Amino acid sequence: MEMVGFDNGVRLDPVLQATDDEFGGVTVEVKDGTKPETFAVLLRNSLSMWNRQGKQGVWIKFPKGLENLHDIAAREGLECHHAERDYLMMINWIPMTPSTLPGNATHRVTIGAIVLNDRREVLVVQEKKGKFRGIWKIPTGTANAGEGIEDAAKREVKEETGIDTEFSDILSFKVLPSAFFRWTEMTFFCAMRPTSFDIQTQESEIDAAEWMPVDAFAAQPFAMEDEVCRHVIDLCYAKLGKGYSGWTPNEVKSNLDDKPSVLYFNPHDLYKSARASANDP
Amino acid sequence: MEMVGFDNGVRLDPVLQATDDEFGGVTVEVKDGTKPETFAVLLRNSLSMWNRQGKQGVWIKFPKGLENLHDIAAREGLECHHAERDYLMMINWIPMTPSTLPGNATHRVTIGAIVLNDRREVLVVQEKKGKFRGIWKIPTGTANAGEGIEDAAKREVKEETGIDTEFSDILSFKVLPSAFFRWTEMTFFCAMRPTSFDIQTQESEIDAAEWMPVDAFAAQPFAMEDEVCRHVIDLCYAKLGKGYSGWTPNEVKSNLDDKPSVLYFNPHDLYKSARASANDP
């Protein structure tokens, strides 16, 4: 944890071991077993040195088990940035300019799975708990951290109904601000094709699951009244009618990113119209 | 903060003041000025009572300034759930079953603004810092917590270039896992129409901004090589060619939500094909 700081060759007091980041700031990962009295001294020395060095943001990560150091950091002016189950990240913005430190995560991603078989039936479930109780609805769920939309959709359908699926396309998405704390919920409606047909419901969360004719699904009183549910039914009919193309995932790699990303768009229409326009005089 | 607990009519030790949530759990907002020794006793009493009462998740919110209580909560088994600049939320999952507590936010939303005028020109900028330095690129930026995609796109264009815009449609989106900490970045490519034309660049972040012919934008060496940049150029040509319809925002209200949400889809194709299919015999 401890190291001796140098500043223009002059020997300084011991400071925290830090890594420079690409934005002119520093990151410290506090080590297990760091004692409060040691941390207090090192932090004060470090902040003073970073200030002289013109460092911008200071990021300090406290692993679980070091909650006794949070207060020391707060007294030196650090604030919470974000937390996960296994750590708290605190930050300090040294220069006296408005903060341009990147913010916390702000959104959660959920999926709604529209699984249609070739008999104009849609896969529906009834949940044991929550606001949808007693209503036939499509399988829905929250994507895990780092999980892609297609994987989340396949996983939720499998967990809730036992049905294996292939992903087809994203038909639409819904944005609900402040759905949970300050976070916005983005729900991606995914068209899926079943590759197995035996329903096995998830005991803990699902009361019942079945293949229901889309017309019967659309005729439920709730489905006729609720704007979002009506939209899901429009999507079912649109997908059955084959006149609506959703967006498909396409893996690409930017030279500026160190990992691939996935682009979603309507490939047929995009390339058709892009080519037509590029060839315009 | 303090109140006397009752359990089946039996008077108990003083406990924390808590609100029941809809999932069988309780939420406590710790009050400013709570003393560590008081908090320790109240928390222990409370956890013991909630346990007897069969409460599920326990959520405890520590406003900024009460970092000296984090350690006490951690010693009683609470873990960090999430944090914002002004608070830390810690949780405890009382029953001995796998946790079904809802997770933290996992995504950040950014926008890429494709602003096209009626002379086949696209609005481009050069950034002062970062990986895009020296490259003409479309304006990009991160949506604030609670900010809609359209508002974020208009704000970023205005901030970076001084240009006012109208939102047209979302043409595509990109998903990049683990872009920043564990969070996935979702970038929505928005087609916009300018409603003002005088460029004024943002001094702090932007070196230059201009209207550039799409053909010249496409001819940059970087743009020809980079897969994501090529995609942005395809989107420009597709939008110019008018053969590609993106998704437009449509405000709706579900009876199950207490606030409206926004649905994004291709309305023309959706309703055309939905109607056609619903009328099938």
Side-chain angles (χ1 to χ4, degrees):
Chain A
M1 192 75 224
E2 184 173 343
M3 60 182 295
V4 176
F6 286 91
D7 195 3
N8 292 322
V10 181
R11 193 187 159 94
L12 297 171
D13 299 324
V15 292
L16 293 162
Q17 197 176 332
T19 315
D20 287 333
D21 67 32
E22 54 182 316
F23 306 102
V26 290
T27 302
V28 172
E29 183 153 351
V30 186
K31 294 214 173 57
D32 278 346
T34 302
K35 298 229 168 358
E37 49 278 21
T38 316
F39 179 71
V41 173
L42 292 176
L43 178 62
R44 199 161 312 139
N45 293 345
S46 306
L47 287 170
S48 148
M49 180 182 73
W50 293 324
N51 209 341
R52 281 196 307 278
Q53 291 173 344
K55 293 293 178 195
Q56 312 238 327
V58 170
W59 301 75
I60 303 192
K61 182 174 178 176
F62 298 90
K64 183 176 151 99
L66 293 178
E67 292 80 4
N68 57 336
L69 307 183
H70 296 177
D71 188 41
I72 296 168
R75 284 167 196 270
E76 295 294 337
L78 278 90
E79 293 177 328
C80 293
H81 182 269
H82 71 276
E84 299 284 352
R85 197 162 174 176
D86 54 349
Y87 72 88
L88 172 68
M89 182 70 81
M90 295 182 77
I91 56 167
N92 191 39
W93 181 245
I94 291 181
M96 293 296 111
T97 57
S99 170
T100 57
L101 284 182
N104 199 343
T106 49
H107 287 63
R108 298 205 312 162
V109 163
T110 66
I111 60 84
I114 297 178
V115 187
L116 292 162
N117 66 19
D118 53 14
R119 297 187 301 179
R120 292 177 70 90
E121 290 172 335
V122 59
L123 183 61
V124 291
V125 299
Q126 288 206 1
E127 293 178 353
K128 286 197 167 160
K129 287 187 194 173
K131 57 188 183 180
F132 281 105
R133 231 184 127 192
I135 297 170
W136 288 107
K137 62 181 275 294
I138 58 170
T140 55
T142 305
N144 296 323
E147 188 179 38
I149 295 170
E150 302 87 85
D151 288 341
K154 285 188 215 171
R155 178 183 52 73
E156 286 288 349
V157 172
K158 181 72 179 172
E159 284 175 8
E160 295 193 357
T161 69
I163 298 292
D164 296 304
T165 48
E166 273 173 1
F167 181 85
S168 168
D169 47 354
I170 295 178
L171 301 176
S172 166
F173 65 91
K174 176 170 88 98
V175 174
L176 177 63
S178 308
F180 190 55
F181 299 110
R182 294 174 191 172
W183 306 326
T184 297
E185 182 181 275
M186 303 194 90
T187 306
F188 292 87
F189 295 105
C190 302
M192 328 267 296
R193 288 177 291 262
T195 58
S196 77
F197 300 90
D198 283 344
I199 288 174
Q200 291 209 307
T201 58
Q202 182 180 38
E203 272 194 28
S204 56
E205 294 182 24
I206 302 295
D207 252 344
E210 63 175 52
W211 292 105
M212 180 179 279
V214 172
D215 293 340
F217 183 50
Q220 292 185 99
F222 172 79
M224 296 174 73
E225 274 165 28
D226 191 82
E227 288 190 310
V228 173
C229 197
R230 278 215 307 264
H231 179 64
V232 168
I233 287 160
D234 284 340
L235 295 175
C236 289
Y237 282 123
K239 193 68 196 166
L240 289 174
K242 300 185 172 53
Y244 185 73
S245 297
W247 288 358
T248 51
N250 302 270
E251 191 172 298
V252 294
K253 174 80 173 56
S254 167
N255 298 334
L256 301 179
D257 296 327
D258 56 6
K259 44 187 117 53
S261 35
V262 184
L263 289 169
Y264 293 85
F265 56 91
N266 179 336
H268 180 65
D269 284 2
L270 176 62
Y271 292 125
K272 193 179 59 186
S273 54
R275 271 197 310 272
S277 171
N279 294 334
D280 273 2
Chain B
M1 192 73 223
E2 182 173 343
M3 60 181 295
V4 176
F6 285 89
D7 195 3
N8 292 322
V10 181
R11 193 186 160 94
L12 297 171
D13 300 323
V15 292
L16 293 162
Q17 197 175 332
T19 316
D20 287 333
D21 67 32
E22 55 184 315
F23 305 102
V26 290
T27 302
V28 172
E29 184 153 351
V30 185
K31 294 213 173 57
D32 277 346
T34 302
K35 298 229 168 359
E37 49 278 20
T38 316
F39 179 71
V41 173
L42 292 175
L43 178 62
R44 197 158 316 135
N45 292 346
S46 305
L47 287 170
S48 150
M49 180 183 73
W50 294 325
N51 209 340
R52 281 197 307 279
Q53 291 173 346
K55 294 294 179 195
Q56 312 239 327
V58 170
W59 300 76
I60 304 193
K61 182 174 179 177
F62 298 90
K64 183 176 151 100
L66 293 178
E67 292 80 3
N68 57 335
L69 308 183
H70 296 178
D71 188 41
I72 296 168
R75 284 167 196 270
E76 295 294 337
L78 278 90
E79 293 176 329
C80 293
H81 182 270
H82 71 275
E84 298 284 352
R85 195 163 176 176
D86 55 348
Y87 72 88
L88 172 68
M89 182 71 79
M90 295 182 78
I91 55 166
N92 191 38
W93 180 245
I94 291 182
M96 291 297 111
T97 57
S99 171
T100 57
L101 285 181
N104 199 342
T106 48
H107 287 63
R108 298 206 312 162
V109 163
T110 66
I111 59 85
I114 297 178
V115 187
L116 291 162
N117 66 18
D118 52 14
R119 298 187 300 178
R120 293 177 70 88
E121 290 171 335
V122 59
L123 183 62
V124 291
V125 298
Q126 289 206 3
E127 294 178 353
K128 287 198 167 161
K129 285 186 194 174
K131 58 189 183 180
F132 281 104
R133 228 181 131 195
I135 297 170
W136 288 107
K137 63 182 275 295
I138 57 170
T140 54
T142 305
N144 296 323
E147 188 179 38
I149 295 169
E150 302 88 88
D151 288 341
K154 285 188 214 170
R155 178 183 52 72
E156 287 288 349
V157 172
K158 180 72 179 174
E159 284 175 7
E160 295 193 356
T161 69
I163 298 291
D164 296 304
T165 48
E166 273 173 2
F167 181 85
S168 168
D169 48 355
I170 296 177
L171 301 176
S172 165
F173 65 92
K174 175 170 89 97
V175 175
L176 177 64
S178 308
F180 189 54
F181 298 111
R182 294 173 191 172
W183 308 326
T184 297
E185 182 181 276
M186 304 194 90
T187 306
F188 292 86
F189 295 106
C190 302
M192 327 268 294
R193 286 178 292 262
T195 58
S196 76
F197 300 88
D198 282 344
I199 288 174
Q200 291 209 307
T201 58
Q202 183 180 37
E203 273 193 30
S204 56
E205 294 181 24
I206 301 296
D207 251 345
E210 63 175 53
W211 292 104
M212 181 181 277
V214 173
D215 292 340
F217 183 49
Q220 291 185 99
F222 171 78
M224 295 175 74
E225 276 166 28
D226 191 81
E227 287 189 313
V228 172
C229 197
R230 278 215 308 264
H231 179 65
V232 169
I233 288 160
D234 285 340
L235 295 174
C236 290
Y237 282 123
K239 193 68 196 168
L240 290 174
K242 299 185 171 54
Y244 185 73
S245 296
W247 288 357
T248 51
N250 303 270
E251 191 173 297
V252 294
K253 173 83 174 53
S254 168
N255 299 335
L256 301 179
D257 295 327
D258 57 6
K259 44 190 117 53
S261 32
V262 183
L263 289 169
Y264 293 84
F265 55 92
N266 178 335
H268 180 67
D269 284 2
L270 176 61
Y271 292 125
K272 192 180 60 185
S273 55
R275 271 196 310 272
S277 172
N279 294 335
D280 273 1

